[in-house]
Amino acid sequence: MQTLQPKNPYVRIALRRAARGTDSSDAFLDRRTALQQLLDLSRILRHICWALVGAMALRAYAPDRLTQDVDIIIHARDEQVARAAFTAAGYRIGNPLPISRFTAHPQDETGYSIDVLVLSEPWLNEALA
């Protein structure tokens, strides 16, 4: 699987220099301690560009944090399609939180709730790519 590289050369330099989990062993960083398996959001969101953010995304670079939700970011133009996709997948759409536009809750209350951050910033297309 080919890893996509950021277009911005400064971001590429920073990523090369970034130290994974300072003062933590590679064995610790490679161990996964999530309470539940992260679901395959690509199957739900299909053609919507999204990125994992928050504590789950941080797991790639630092020791695990106990988290009980998944945070993703999408483009504002995809919000209604994403809401419909989560509803079709059996999620219930909850009220907005201070940081997210909506939360998709699993119907049976097992599994992660998904906080969906919706942005229309000019840099978002490149970030999602």
Side-chain angles (χ1 to χ4, degrees):
M1 180 175 174
Q2 183 179 359
T3 303
L4 295 176
Q5 293 295 317
K7 293 178 186 176
N8 185 313
Y10 296 108
V11 172
R12 287 196 308 270
I13 291 167
L15 288 173
R16 280 197 308 266
R17 293 182 179 171
R20 286 179 65 205
T22 304
D23 296 328
S24 297
S25 71
D26 285 340
F28 176 78
L29 293 171
D30 291 337
R31 184 183 59 169
R32 295 297 176 221
T33 58
L35 298 176
Q36 303 168 36
Q37 181 70 29
L38 180 59
L39 66 152
D40 183 1
L41 290 175
S42 296
R43 289 183 27 208
I44 295 172
L45 297 175
R46 299 187 189 274
H47 303 292
I48 297 171
C49 289
W50 61 277
L52 186 64
V53 296
M56 287 285 187
L58 183 63
R59 292 176 71 211
Y61 300 100
D64 287 351
R65 274 185 46 198
L66 184 61
T67 185
Q68 297 185 9
D69 66 359
V70 175
D71 305 300
I72 67 169
I73 190 168
I74 64 171
H75 200 285
R77 67 176 171 252
D78 295 323
E79 179 179 1
Q80 294 309 315
V81 176
R83 285 175 178 264
F86 279 115
T87 301
Y91 284 77
R92 134 182 96 69
I93 303 301
N95 294 328
L97 298 173
I99 193 169
S100 66
R101 185 72 61 92
F102 68 92
T103 300
H105 300 281
Q107 291 289 357
D108 61 4
E109 297 303 323
T110 63
Y112 291 107
S113 291
I114 298 139
D115 291 339
V116 182
L117 291 72
V118 178
L119 294 178
S120 57
E121 305 298 328
W123 50 262
L124 187 58
N125 290 335
E126 184 177 356
L128 290 174

